[in-house]
Amino acid sequence: MADAAKIDIKSLLFNQLQEELRQQGEPSYRAGQIMGWLYAKRVESFEKMTDLPRELRRRLAKLFAFDRLEVVHVLGSRDTTRKFLFRLADGNLLESVLIPASPALYGGKSDRRTICISTQVGCAYGCKFCASGLEGFSRNLRTSEIVDQIIAVERESSDKIDNVVFMGMGEPLANLQNVMRAIQIINAPWGLGIGARHITVSTSGLAPQIKKLAEESLQIRLAVSLHGATDEVRNQIMPINRRYKIETLLSACDYYAARKKQRLTFEYILIAGVNDSDEQARLLSRYACRLSAKVNLIPYNLVEGLPWSRPSRNRQEKFLLILRQHGVGATLRREKGHDINAACGQLRLQTERALVSTA
Ligand code: SAH
Ligand code: SF4
């Protein structure tokens, strides 16, 4: 269990660590030494920071919490999508997905390895198709717990990760402060050094937070989970749409795209008989053209206990064709990892159900 009285060292930015150390009467170069141990050498205790005086190492251990993610389960093998289930210091379960050699999604090159990370335990937004929302919301992840997913997956897989997508469990913009701090650590040269253009945040459509994100200086990418092209359809599957209707969401996107001079991506899960009509495709094309946005079509991944299914292959291709006929840059994701429950929240849900049924 994390010690609440201690400062979580891996949630600190460089200048924040410098300030903590200054208060301890330490010279400012110590922050550089410690960040080097945390993110370049990746040791897992203060004891291993061997160029620090022994007395300082002991003092640091008393002052700072230094947790790590515990691996519970890894599904999949090398060269396929792999899913990692972790246990947090307080016992909560968390999942991340490693997608090898993914197609050129979100600006990445095809030989790049992408990690899909979580930002919350559960999710409060309750989209009707999503496993993460099924069991409600537990808590926000701390900055360190967000960054540690990348470190733990690199350690377990011996792979270097080049792309990060915030598309695991949770709604990143509902945990904006910790997510932004995590992005700074992931991007910083003293941190993980992953370029901002290789970091994508996905949101279900928190319009005010999209505008806030537009004020951030880092050129990270934004993906918006649209999944419906009319309020009628979107209301059926995404409760957030009752708060921020499509037009409100689109004008926040206009603001973001103009401010960042960036093309964003619309994520669109294809669900049979719900949002896959020609009419929805035409409306979606109109929004994509208005924003010069790309569209990423995702055939629905079955979730046990939910009534939805994916449209036929023909219907998927027809939907794609309509977008392309309107000049929209669209891709249809040929799901990797479909067979290992790689959609967000699914592995955790299964494990929790199994734990309950064996309890
Ligand atoms: N909360 C954020 C980010 C996490 S969800 C958001 O909603 O954007 C990441 C993506 O996984 C979203 O586009 C979401 O809609 C999608 N997703 C959730 N359940 C899915 C399922 N069963 N099949 C396919 N995609 C799914
Ligand atoms: Fe939450 Fe995103 Fe799942 Fe909706 S799709 S319940 S916002 S994680």
Side-chain angles (χ1 to χ4, degrees):
M1 181 79 194
D3 185 343
K6 289 185 176 180
I7 302 161
D8 178 16
I9 192 155
K10 288 192 277 181
S11 287
L12 296 179
L13 298 176
F14 201 97
N15 59 338
Q16 294 172 318
L17 179 60
Q18 243 173 353
E19 176 54 26
E20 293 294 339
L21 292 166
R22 197 189 57 76
Q23 286 177 23
Q24 291 292 310
E26 290 298 321
S28 62
Y29 63 83
R30 291 276 185 242
Q33 281 178 301
I34 294 173
M35 288 305 194
W37 286 112
L38 292 178
Y39 299 111
K41 302 192 197 91
R42 302 190 181 175
V43 296
E44 284 168 349
S45 72
F46 289 111
E47 201 39 52
K48 301 225 168 89
M49 301 185 178
T50 47
D51 61 356
L52 303 181
R54 208 173 276 276
E55 179 279 326
L56 175 60
R57 283 183 254 165
R58 253 179 253 133
R59 200 150 31 98
L60 292 175
K62 282 198 189 121
L63 195 62
F64 293 107
F66 194 163
D67 294 325
R68 68 185 295 232
L69 297 180
E70 184 197 332
V71 182
V72 180
H73 216 51
V74 182
L75 275 186
S77 55
R78 243 193 128 70
D79 303 321
T80 65
T81 298
R82 256 170 301 168
K83 247 189 134 154
F84 298 80
L85 188 73
F86 297 113
R87 188 173 290 111
L88 298 167
D90 67 358
N92 271 305
L93 293 175
L94 179 70
E95 62 185 63
S96 318
V97 181
L98 176 62
I99 309 157
S102 47
L105 293 171
Y106 315 110
K109 286 193 194 136
S110 61
D111 60 344
R112 292 184 175 264
R113 279 169 292 266
T114 298
I115 187 174
C116 173
I117 59 177
S118 298
T119 54
Q120 299 183 310
V121 180
C123 183
Y125 289 85
C127 300
K128 299 281 193 283
F129 48 79
C130 174
S132 294
L134 270 184
E135 311 229 313
F137 172 70
S138 298
R139 70 169 174 89
N140 280 333
L141 292 187
R142 294 184 298 180
T143 298
S144 59
E145 292 166 333
I146 298 172
V147 179
D148 266 349
Q149 295 171 63
I150 304 175
I151 293 175
V153 167
E154 286 194 341
R155 183 183 65 226
E156 289 298 313
S157 65
S158 311
D159 274 338
K160 170 87 186 73
I161 285 160
D162 328 86
N163 274 309
V164 179
V165 297
F166 285 79
M167 294 190 183
M169 242 197 297
E171 169 49 55
L173 299 193
N175 186 14
L176 189 57
Q177 199 188 14
N178 291 349
V179 166
M180 277 319 302
R181 226 188 287 165
I183 289 174
Q184 280 172 280
I185 296 174
I186 292 166
N187 175 249
W190 53 262
L192 303 186
I194 297 176
R197 287 185 171 76
H198 298 290
I199 302 173
T200 301
V201 169
S202 175
T203 179
S204 59
L206 276 62
Q209 274 84 344
I210 290 176
K211 287 189 171 170
K212 264 199 197 158
L213 197 64
E215 307 302 338
E216 296 286 342
S217 57
L218 281 178
Q219 274 297 342
I220 52 170
R221 293 173 189 273
L222 179 67
V224 173
S225 294
L226 205 59
H227 311 327
T230 51
D231 284 324
E232 198 191 353
V233 168
R234 213 165 178 262
N235 282 344
Q236 248 185 61
I237 51 177
M238 299 183 76
I240 182 78
N241 196 67
R242 295 181 191 272
R243 199 137 110 227
Y244 307 116
K245 300 215 169 345
I246 289 182
E247 190 42 50
T248 310
L249 172 57
L250 291 176
S251 56
C253 293
D254 286 333
Y255 181 82
Y256 184 93
R259 180 106 199 159
K260 301 289 254 189
K261 299 186 177 51
Q262 194 190 95
R263 294 177 70 189
L264 45 83
T265 302
F266 285 131
E267 302 281 317
Y268 199 97
I269 304 180
L270 289 168
I271 310 176
V274 174
N275 64 359
D276 60 343
S277 69
D278 292 359
E279 174 63 11
Q280 291 282 308
R282 281 192 291 270
L283 279 168
L284 176 58
S285 305
R286 198 185 295 164
Y287 306 152
C289 290
R290 159 175 165 181
L291 278 146
S292 305
K294 291 170 277 185
V295 174
N296 188 16
L297 299 175
I298 312 152
Y300 181 69
N301 245 328
L302 288 182
V303 177
E304 212 186 300
L306 295 181
W308 321 100
S309 61
R310 53 173 62 182
S312 69
R313 190 79 214 179
N314 268 352
R315 184 91 290 271
Q316 295 175 25
E317 297 290 349
K318 176 77 192 303
F319 200 96
L320 176 67
L321 184 67
I322 296 173
L323 293 173
R324 292 200 167 149
Q325 282 168 341
H326 285 80
V328 177
T331 52
L332 175 61
R333 198 187 288 177
R334 274 89 187 174
E335 281 285 338
K336 291 190 175 196
H338 188 50
D339 50 341
I340 60 158
N341 294 319
C344 75
Q346 292 187 12
L347 180 62
R348 166 178 164 267
L349 187 67
Q350 232 177 34
T351 307
E352 285 189 341
R353 281 180 177 164
L355 288 176
V356 168
S357 67
T358 54

